[in-house]
Amino acid sequence: MRYSKALIPTLREDPADAEVVSHKLMIRGGYIRKVAAGIYDYLPLALRVFRKIEMIVREEMDATGALELLLPIIMPAELWQESGRWDFYGKELLRVKDRADHDFCVGPTHEEVITDLARREIKSYRDLPKNLYQIQTKFRDEVRPRFGVMRGREFIMKDAYSFDVDVEASKKTYQIMYDAYRRIFKRCGLDFRPVEAATGAIGGTLSHEFHVIASSGEDAIFFCDKCEYASNVEKTRLAKVGQLQKMNEELKQAKPDGKYVEVSTPGKKTIEEVALFLKVKSSELVKTLIYKATAEKKEPVFVAVLLKGDHELVDAKLTNALFDQGIVDTRDIVLELAGESEVKALTGADVGFAGPIGIKAKVLADASVYGDERFVVGANKTDAHLVGVSWADCNIIAFADVRRARQGDRCPECSSGSLLEKRGIEVGQVFHLGTKYSEKMKAVYLDEAGKDNFMVMGCYGIGISRTAAAAIEQNHDDKGIIWPVQIAPYHIQLITMGVDEKTREVAENIYYELEEAGVQVLFDDRDERPGVKFADADLIGVPYQAIIGKKAMAEGKIEFKVRKTGERSMVELPDIIDRLKKELGEK
Ligand code: ATP
Ligand code: MG
């Protein structure tokens, strides 16, 4: 491509509204332009990057036997009502009406449509397994679209859905997808980690996310410094199942001894205030958080959760605990902290003085509370706390693992390593769905014995546009982007520094020969000063540059620059072609 004919509107200044580097560089490098919040034009350079990622995704998906199809972007409400997600998905689902006033939505994900297709077209065990995928624009009306295409409202996703005869077979498919994802992100040239993940609105029980490691990542992920254990903070296990069982056994035998005393704590509402006032460490306080859990079409349930003063709670872990304890009968719940008047009604006190003893709600305790002999809690009485409370006094119905991990916590898997915290950008996720959708939507097949069975499903997403942005977060310097060659918009940028006939002629020949050899070249043939051309080249981030200037002309060679290291050397054309072929051939 000749630069003079291309559309690459580079900018010297950072856009005012861009918070992260990929957003800034995609705007400045002429990759994207904003149309509305979270909605962008993908200019030719961005589209080339997306297409490269898509190509790798297609090759790896096809290699597993998955079949590409394309489903509608606009879907009828009825399908979403059948799965129950028309109500549950909330405001993130963009709803539209057609001219006849029928309800539709713009697809944020496609479990409903694909399950509908499967129930109509897959009849027998002989038609299974099937894994169907598409690459398509999705729309999610995100509360806070930001970071450019990293968290857009409109974005490109690869989504795949698998159908198997039973759980065993579908777990195999899950593993095949997990392995394919590893190959995909490796081939994209990214430093990534798969981590255990919570399942969120999509549902199911087993899930992994693939994270590109970058300090700007929105997610906290934990790894063990000794073993392979890695997980999203939403899922990081801090207590083993066996330990919890033991604690809960003990709980059944526990007898309150009532050896606590009430102390006056006027106006001391926060952990810090109470700790300072009573001259204890915040870890010696146990806070009582009152949560309201609401399931679709059900009355809200209130629970009091006990957590050490210096710990934080993870909503996703609490959701699982509530479900496991039978406090709610689905994981599809909305969790929120109880409001002021609700707290007053349950505790009889102002906010800030809630405690487990005498509260009108079920009490659940984090496992770490078990370790403490005596602690301080709220007295359910305004301006008072109880000192010297033991967990046996607290009417706890169960211990559960609900707190947020911290760097240095013991690894739950090997028990000898400690956990390290890093930031990650979620670029893909795989879910084992089980029969969540097939049961709701009656997607059955006939087995060998002629009996109806629900299909067992999995679903697997990759954010194509987010992967491109994540690659920039991981690969840039103060001059601009440094693309991994596998997903770069071009392999090499050819730059002429002189405008004389001879230099032009030599550059034209090199351009021709590189293209002939299958190398993708962005040929900067513009009538611009060398400084401008170099700045643009570094900004756009094509991984290699070939410079035809005085030095090259004098030596009859090409000046070859590696964008990442800045290293320059004088080489012959076949050397460049060989080097690129070798790099691109490495999978
Ligand atoms: P997040 O937690 O970041 O909101 P998600 O877990 O809701 O994402 P999934 O439903 O797992 O997303 O979607 C599959 C993939 O689609 C994600 O791994 C991510 O790469 C991409 N994706 C999701 N939401 C967005 C978005 N708003 N903008 C760009 N890509 C997105
Ligand atoms: Mg996800």
Side-chain angles (χ1 to χ4, degrees):
M1 167 56 74
R2 286 172 193 276
Y3 204 129
S4 59
K5 303 264 188 300
L7 177 65
I8 310 176
T10 57
L11 302 170
R12 290 287 160 256
E13 300 297 323
D14 279 339
D17 63 345
E19 293 167 65
V20 294
V21 102
S22 58
H23 186 190
K24 287 181 192 159
L25 292 176
M26 287 181 96
I27 300 272
R28 280 188 48 209
Y31 284 82
I32 56 168
R33 285 294 182 263
K34 182 170 161 180
V35 178
I39 301 178
Y40 290 87
D41 294 320
Y42 308 139
L43 272 55
L45 282 187
L47 193 62
R48 285 186 71 91
V49 174
F50 297 172
R51 293 283 183 258
K52 294 240 170 128
I53 300 170
E54 288 171 11
M55 192 190 72
I56 293 172
V57 168
R58 280 200 173 90
E59 283 179 12
E60 294 297 338
M61 291 299 296
D62 292 350
T64 67
L67 306 168
E68 185 170 359
L69 45 51
L70 194 55
L71 303 168
I73 293 180
I74 306 285
M75 299 174 262
E78 288 75 19
L79 289 177
W80 284 69
Q81 281 153 353
E82 247 188 275
S83 73
R85 289 206 295 184
W86 182 255
D87 292 324
F88 185 73
Y89 218 94
K91 288 198 168 170
E92 223 171 275
L93 188 66
L94 182 68
R95 295 147 211 260
V96 289
K97 281 188 188 288
D98 70 3
R99 63 167 76 202
D101 216 29
H102 292 139
D103 285 317
F104 288 82
C105 65
V106 185
T109 176
H110 280 69
E111 285 78 8
E112 284 76 1
V113 198
I114 199 90
T115 310
D116 176 50
L117 178 72
R119 71 179 164 188
R120 286 186 279 128
E121 307 307 331
I122 299 176
K123 305 280 181 221
S124 136
Y125 70 95
R126 284 193 206 88
D127 305 327
L128 293 169
K130 285 276 177 298
N131 189 1
L132 306 169
Y133 79 96
Q134 59 172 344
I135 299 180
Q136 185 197 49
T137 295
K138 297 278 188 269
F139 194 95
R140 294 182 182 179
D141 205 352
E142 299 265 351
V143 206
R144 236 166 48 96
R146 56 196 173 139
F147 305 157
V149 298
M150 191 109 87
R151 182 168 296 285
R153 291 198 291 172
E154 193 180 282
F155 58 96
I156 304 174
M157 200 207 283
K158 184 286 297 184
D159 45 329
Y161 306 87
S162 65
F163 300 87
D164 276 284
V165 287
D166 57 22
V167 171
E168 197 190 338
S170 83
K171 289 218 164 140
K172 275 194 193 130
T173 305
Y174 180 91
Q175 187 61 41
I176 289 169
M177 281 296 100
Y178 177 94
D179 294 340
Y181 272 39
R182 286 190 84 113
R183 287 194 297 275
I184 288 169
F185 294 117
K186 180 155 184 282
R187 283 184 59 189
C188 287
L190 299 168
D191 174 17
F192 69 96
R193 283 294 289 258
V195 304
E196 288 183 6
T199 48
I202 306 273
T205 46
L206 169 67
S207 179
H208 285 86
E209 288 167 351
F210 288 74
H211 282 266
V212 165
I213 309 299
S215 54
S216 57
E218 285 188 280
D219 287 317
I221 49 184
F222 283 88
F223 317 110
C224 176
D225 61 2
K226 289 234 170 74
C227 74
E228 283 297 298
Y229 181 72
S231 80
N232 188 305
V233 65
E234 295 197 321
K235 182 86 180 178
T236 310
R237 285 176 272 133
L238 295 171
K240 293 196 167 162
V241 179
Q243 283 170 336
L244 282 173
Q245 271 169 355
K246 211 174 126 254
M247 289 178 200
N248 287 328
E249 283 303 315
E250 246 182 85
L251 195 58
K252 282 187 207 144
Q253 321 296 331
K255 296 211 170 41
D257 60 15
K259 282 189 189 156
Y260 51 84
V261 288
E262 186 182 309
V263 294
S264 161
T265 50
K268 309 296 178 207
K269 297 183 175 187
T270 65
I271 292 292
E272 293 73 31
E273 286 166 353
V274 179
L276 201 65
F277 185 74
L278 296 177
K279 299 196 178 53
V280 295
K281 287 196 224 118
S282 54
S283 57
E284 292 169 59
L285 298 178
V286 166
K287 55 189 168 189
T288 306
L289 303 171
I290 306 176
Y291 276 88
K292 180 176 170 179
T294 318
E296 197 193 341
K297 299 191 180 105
K298 293 253 170 77
E299 281 299 304
V301 180
F302 290 92
V303 276
V305 187
L306 302 185
L307 203 64
K308 288 177 73 158
D310 58 338
H311 284 163
E312 286 171 54
L313 183 131
V314 174
D315 283 5
K317 290 173 79 173
L318 179 57
T319 301
N320 281 333
L322 294 178
F323 179 76
D324 293 344
Q325 293 304 326
I327 297 173
V328 292
D329 56 11
T330 162
R331 288 188 173 88
D332 289 349
I333 54 169
V334 177
L335 260 190
E336 44 197 345
L337 277 169
E340 206 175 316
S341 57
E342 290 160 339
V343 170
K344 276 190 176 166
L346 296 168
T347 66
D350 285 353
V351 172
F353 301 95
I357 302 171
I359 195 167
K360 289 190 215 122
K362 285 184 174 157
V363 180
L364 206 67
D366 182 67
S368 59
V369 171
Y370 172 86
D372 287 353
E373 292 249 310
R374 300 278 158 183
F375 42 82
V376 178
V377 296
N380 291 328
K381 193 166 152 192
T382 302
D383 294 340
H385 279 78
L386 303 177
V387 176
V389 173
S390 82
W391 56 257
D393 295 319
C394 295
N395 310 311
I396 299 167
I397 58 158
F399 283 107
D401 175 11
V402 295
R403 81 167 168 96
R404 186 191 190 281
R406 291 193 296 204
Q407 174 122 336
D409 277 332
R410 181 72 25 109
C411 169
E413 197 70 32
C414 70
S415 302
S416 65
S418 38
L419 297 180
L420 298 173
E421 179 169 0
K422 285 209 180 174
R423 307 298 300 177
I425 301 167
E426 182 203 317
V427 286
Q429 186 163 10
V430 292
F431 298 84
H432 184 259
L433 291 172
T435 50
K436 171 172 168 158
Y437 294 90
S438 43
E439 280 190 39
K440 282 218 160 133
M441 300 184 66
K442 313 230 163 13
V444 293
Y445 70 92
L446 275 183
D447 67 14
E448 268 175 279
K451 205 171 114 295
D452 271 347
N453 281 302
F454 290 117
M455 296 177 211
V456 184
M457 291 174 62
C459 73
Y460 320 91
I462 290 182
I464 303 289
S465 38
R466 185 184 282 180
T467 300
I472 299 177
E473 291 295 327
Q474 206 172 61
N475 301 282
H476 66 270
D477 61 15
D478 54 358
K479 299 194 186 74
I481 303 170
I482 309 171
W483 288 112
V485 67
Q486 303 88 329
I487 59 171
Y490 293 93
H491 302 140
I492 193 161
Q493 189 143 341
L494 176 61
I495 303 168
T496 51
M497 278 166 59
V499 285
D500 57 288
E501 269 309 302
K502 185 74 193 138
T503 311
R504 272 184 192 279
E505 201 186 302
V506 169
E508 287 286 343
N509 278 334
I510 294 171
Y511 176 45
Y512 176 79
E513 288 194 32
L514 281 170
E515 293 235 304
E516 275 293 286
V519 174
Q520 296 168 10
V521 192
L522 178 58
F523 176 21
D524 196 345
D525 58 342
R526 292 175 302 167
D527 238 350
E528 285 284 1
R529 282 182 294 113
V532 171
K533 292 190 177 184
F534 286 140
D536 278 337
D538 284 351
L539 176 61
I540 292 167
V542 171
Y544 299 105
Q545 297 171 14
I547 303 155
I548 314 297
K550 280 206 187 83
K551 200 169 170 202
M553 294 297 286
E555 291 187 27
K557 289 190 171 178
I558 300 166
E559 191 173 358
F560 182 71
K561 179 179 150 190
V562 180
R563 170 69 184 88
K564 186 169 185 169
T565 57
E567 164 203 337
R568 290 164 184 259
S569 52
M570 300 304 289
V571 299
E572 307 271 356
L573 191 57
D575 297 339
I576 297 185
I577 295 172
D578 281 354
R579 178 166 178 162
L580 282 168
K581 286 226 160 119
K582 195 161 152 269
E583 282 200 30
L584 290 162
E586 276 170 10
K587 287 191 177 168

